[in-house]
């Protein structure tokens, strides 16, 4: 069970769109449409942004969207805002009631 | 509003057992709709799922840590706990507890996390 691969960092200017990729294998991301995305701000509880690949929990802005192609899932944030600056982690169901997370991506809003 | 709060020693000696408790408030740990999990984040590293437990006691563990991890539940106190044995400096991390929604197959509520340092 290896960690999912995410870019270490991405950046964008306010109003722009960015995409964070999350690459797994045919045993996790590729087998299940069960990728979640979490937003982490220092000292705060992680926040669920996307689940089941593309669904948004109540209260999450529609500027956040998720998708998947093959073994790679993606999180897109449109209309970047300063408050979006945070670390983002993907997580995939990996079968047999186990989960695997990504290494995290630091988003900087320029 | 559901809240989860981790508690336990912030410093553990190498080779000893790390013990943490997660107290759930604003909801029942005995609901059939949820599992409860532990996730950690070592400094400058990514998140790692450690294991999950159902209110009836059924458990699932990360295969890479299975021999050292034990998760238990106390429904009378609305708490679940983590024990990690034979710790080393590599187990230094922020430890989070979280609720796993079975219908959504995702961790929807998390605690704020607690830093545990392994050092003599």
């Amino acid at each position: 069970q290896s960690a999912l691969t995410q870019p270490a960092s991405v950046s964008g200017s306010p109003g722009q769109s960015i995409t964070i990729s999350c690459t797994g294998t045919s045993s996790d991301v590729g087998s299940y449409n069960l990728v979640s995305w979490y937003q982490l701000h220092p000292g705060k509880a992680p926040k669920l942004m996307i689940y089941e690949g593309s669904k948004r929990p109540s209260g999450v802005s529609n500027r956040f969207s998720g998708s998947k192609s093959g073994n790679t899932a993606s999180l897109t944030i449109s209309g970047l805002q300063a408050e979006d600056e945070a670390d983002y982690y993907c997580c995939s169901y990996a079968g047999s009631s186990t989960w695997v997370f990504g290494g995290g991506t630091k988003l900087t809003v320029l | 509003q559901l809240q989860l709060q981790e508690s336990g020693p912030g410093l553990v000696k190498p080779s000893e057992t790390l013990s943490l408790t997660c107290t759930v408030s604003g909801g029942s740990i005995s609901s059939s709709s949820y599992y409860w999990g532990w996730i950690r984040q070592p400094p400058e590293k990514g998140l790692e799922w450690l294991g999950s437990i159902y209110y009836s006691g059924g458990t699932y563990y990360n295969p890479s840590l299975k021999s050292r991890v034990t998760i238990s539940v106390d429904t009378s106190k609305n708490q679940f706990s983590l024990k990690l044995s034979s710790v080393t400096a590599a187990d230094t991390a922020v430890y989070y507890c979280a609720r796993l929604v079975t219908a959504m197959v995702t961790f929807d509520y998390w605690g704020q996390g607690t830093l545990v340092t392994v050092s003599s």
Side-chain angles (χ1 to χ4, degrees):
Chain A
Q1 195 182 61
S2 299
L4 307 176
T5 300
Q6 299 181 232
S9 63
V10 298
S11 62
S13 299
Q16 288 186 332
S17 295
I18 63 95
T19 296
I20 300 172
S21 62
C22 169
T23 301
T25 69
S26 57
S27 297
D28 38 61
V29 176
S31 286
Y32 310 95
N33 198 22
L34 295 173
V35 173
S36 299
W37 289 90
Y38 300 92
Q39 179 189 66
L40 272 71
H41 282 116
K44 296 181 68 175
K47 180 182 180 182
L48 175 65
M49 308 303 287
I50 295 287
Y51 68 98
E52 291 182 8
S54 60
K55 297 180 180 179
R56 279 188 309 276
S58 174
V60 172
S61 170
N62 59 9
R63 297 185 298 105
F64 291 82
S65 62
S67 62
K68 191 190 88 164
S69 176
N71 294 338
T72 298
S74 298
L75 173 71
T76 298
I77 308 174
S78 59
L80 267 180
Q81 299 179 359
E83 67 205 48
D84 300 332
E85 185 162 294
D87 294 332
Y88 291 86
Y89 286 84
C90 60
C91 174
S92 175
Y93 181 67
S96 301
S97 297
T98 65
W99 277 261
V100 60
F101 283 87
T105 298
K106 180 176 181 59
L107 169 62
T108 301
V109 181
L110 302 171
Chain B
Q1 178 79 350
L2 188 79
Q3 290 189 322
L4 294 87
Q5 180 66 57
E6 306 88 352
S7 60
L11 181 64
V12 181
K13 290 183 168 55
S15 80
E16 295 189 343
T17 296
L18 177 160
S19 296
L20 295 174
T21 295
C22 182
T23 300
V24 179
S25 58
S28 173
I29 203 170
S30 299
S31 170
S32 60
S33 300
Y34 311 116
Y35 276 72
W36 305 88
W38 287 97
I39 298 107
R40 70 179 180 181
Q41 182 180 25
E44 306 304 320
K45 294 189 177 181
L47 296 170
E48 179 180 34
W49 171 76
L50 303 180
S52 302
I53 190 166
Y54 197 52
Y55 76 94
S56 60
T59 53
Y60 298 94
Y61 297 128
N62 186 320
S64 66
L65 293 165
K66 189 173 183 178
S67 62
R68 296 199 295 132
V69 174
T70 303
I71 298 176
S72 59
V73 63
D74 186 337
T75 56
S76 68
K77 295 181 179 179
N78 229 33
Q79 296 176 333
F80 63 105
S81 298
L82 169 73
K83 290 188 185 299
L84 181 64
S85 64
S86 306
V87 297
T88 68
D91 295 309
T92 293
V94 174
Y95 286 77
Y96 296 97
C97 59
R99 185 179 79 171
L100 172 64
V101 186
T102 52
M104 295 161 59
V105 197
T106 193
F107 298 95
D108 65 341
Y109 279 95
W110 297 56
Q112 287 195 313
T114 187
L115 174 63
V116 179
T117 302
V118 178
S119 175
S120 55

